[in-house]
Amino acid sequence: SQELEQSPQSLIVQEGKNLTINCTSSKTLYGLYWYKQKYGEGLIFLMMLQKGGEEKSHEKITAKLDEKKQQSSLHITASQPSHAGIYLCGADSNSGYALNFGKGTSLLVTP
Amino acid sequence: NAGVMQNPRHLVRRRGQEARLRCSPMKGHSHVYWYRQLPEEGLKFMVYLQKENIIDESGMPKERFSAEFPKEGPSILRIQQVVRGDSAAYFCASSRTGGGKNIQYFGAGTRLSVL
C-alpha cells in the first residue's frame, strides 16, 4: 500500500519567515491534495495537484508536484500566526476512492 | 452553502455501549467517506458510500463497525460495544462525484471518548 512521508514532523518559525513542507510518496502519485487542520478541528482543503510539474498558489501558499520524485512541496511565504496548524498531504489510493494521508506537519508561527 | 456537518462534535461512551455518529454531506454531494484519526497516527480511510450503497469498506474493522447512507437523511457510522481502543476522532468527507482526482471536503469531526 502507498505510504506518504511528511517532513519535517514539526516546525516552529518566526512570523515573516518562509518555510517549506515536503510530502514523499512510496508509489506513483496520481492526485495530490494538501489540507490544513487546526488543532481539534476538521480539515480545510487547500489545493489539489494532478500533473507532474504542476504548481498552484493561494494567497501566500504555493504547492508543487514533482511526479518523477514522487514528491510534493508546500511553501509558505512570509508566515503569519494564522498559518499555524497541521498540514496534511493526501493522495489518491489504488481504489480511486480513498485518500491516503501522511501523518502531518505541525506548524507554529511565533510573533 | 453549508459544509459537511457532523454531530455530535464530542461523544462520551462507556465500554460496551453503542456510538452513533452522523454526517450530512455538502449540498449536491452524493458521495460520503469516513476516516478515523487515532492519537499519534494519521487519518485512515474506513468506508466509502453512495446513497443506499456501500462501495468500499476495506478500511472498516470487520466486527462492531457498520455504516449506512440511506436515501433520506444523514450517513451514520455505528460502533457497537465500544472499547477503549475506539477512542479517536472520526471524520466524514463528501465529494460531488466519486473516483480519483475529486476533492473531498471534510467535516469538523466527532471526537469519541470511551471510558
Side-chain angles (χ1 to χ4, degrees):
Chain A
S1 62
Q2 180 185 43
E3 289 189 4
L4 294 172
E5 188 168 336
Q6 288 188 235
S7 62
Q9 281 187 317
S10 63
L11 198 51
I12 303 175
V13 300
Q14 196 170 22
E15 185 175 356
K17 298 292 186 186
N18 302 336
L19 63 107
T20 299
I21 298 168
N22 292 305
C23 173
T24 303
S25 172
S26 60
K27 294 190 174 183
T28 303
L29 284 168
Y30 294 105
L32 192 287
Y33 308 78
W34 283 100
Y35 289 86
K36 178 186 173 185
Q37 184 179 22
K38 289 195 172 181
Y39 298 101
E41 297 185 15
L43 280 69
I44 299 167
F45 170 74
L46 296 176
M47 277 172 276
M48 175 176 73
L49 302 167
Q50 300 184 57
K51 303 173 193 174
E54 187 172 12
E55 180 175 322
K56 286 190 177 176
S57 293
H58 176 67
E59 298 179 347
K60 294 186 178 180
I61 301 176
T62 301
K64 300 179 188 179
L65 179 62
D66 186 331
E67 221 168 45
K68 287 181 182 175
K69 289 184 180 177
Q70 297 177 177
Q71 186 176 72
S72 178
S73 61
L74 186 84
H75 184 78
I76 299 177
T77 304
S79 58
Q80 300 167 0
S82 61
H83 287 128
I86 300 171
Y87 290 81
L88 293 159
C89 65
D92 286 327
S93 65
N94 289 340
S95 71
Y97 308 125
L99 290 179
N100 293 319
F101 282 93
K103 290 190 177 181
T105 294
S106 177
L107 171 64
L108 181 63
V109 181
T110 61
Chain B
N1 190 12
V4 177
M5 304 300 291
Q6 288 189 250
N7 67 79
R9 289 291 305 275
H10 300 274
L11 185 60
V12 179
R13 285 287 177 266
R14 294 191 182 280
R15 279 179 297 171
Q17 291 184 320
E18 179 179 286
R20 278 186 178 237
L21 289 62
R22 295 175 194 77
C23 170
S24 295
M26 281 179 73
K27 189 176 179 181
H29 287 192
S30 58
H31 300 256
V32 166
Y33 314 78
W34 286 93
Y35 292 82
R36 178 164 66 174
Q37 188 173 44
L38 290 165
E40 306 303 313
E41 290 190 26
L43 271 171
K44 300 292 185 188
F45 167 78
M46 298 180 75
V47 62
Y48 163 49
L49 310 102
Q50 294 179 27
K51 284 284 186 183
E52 300 184 277
N53 286 305
I54 297 174
I55 308 300
D56 181 353
E57 55 181 350
S58 58
M60 194 96 104
K62 294 283 185 277
E63 297 177 352
R64 302 186 297 109
F65 285 73
S66 62
E68 62 177 12
F69 189 14
K71 190 176 178 181
E72 301 289 339
S75 175
I76 306 283
L77 179 68
R78 183 182 177 206
I79 311 172
Q80 294 178 290
Q81 299 175 325
V82 296
V83 300
R84 290 225 173 108
D86 296 333
S87 296
Y90 292 83
F91 291 95
C92 168
S94 73
S95 64
R96 188 173 298 278
T97 57
K101 298 186 179 178
N102 283 292
I103 300 168
Q104 294 181 22
Y105 294 91
F106 283 77
T110 293
R111 277 145 187 89
L112 173 65
S113 297
V114 179
L115 305 179

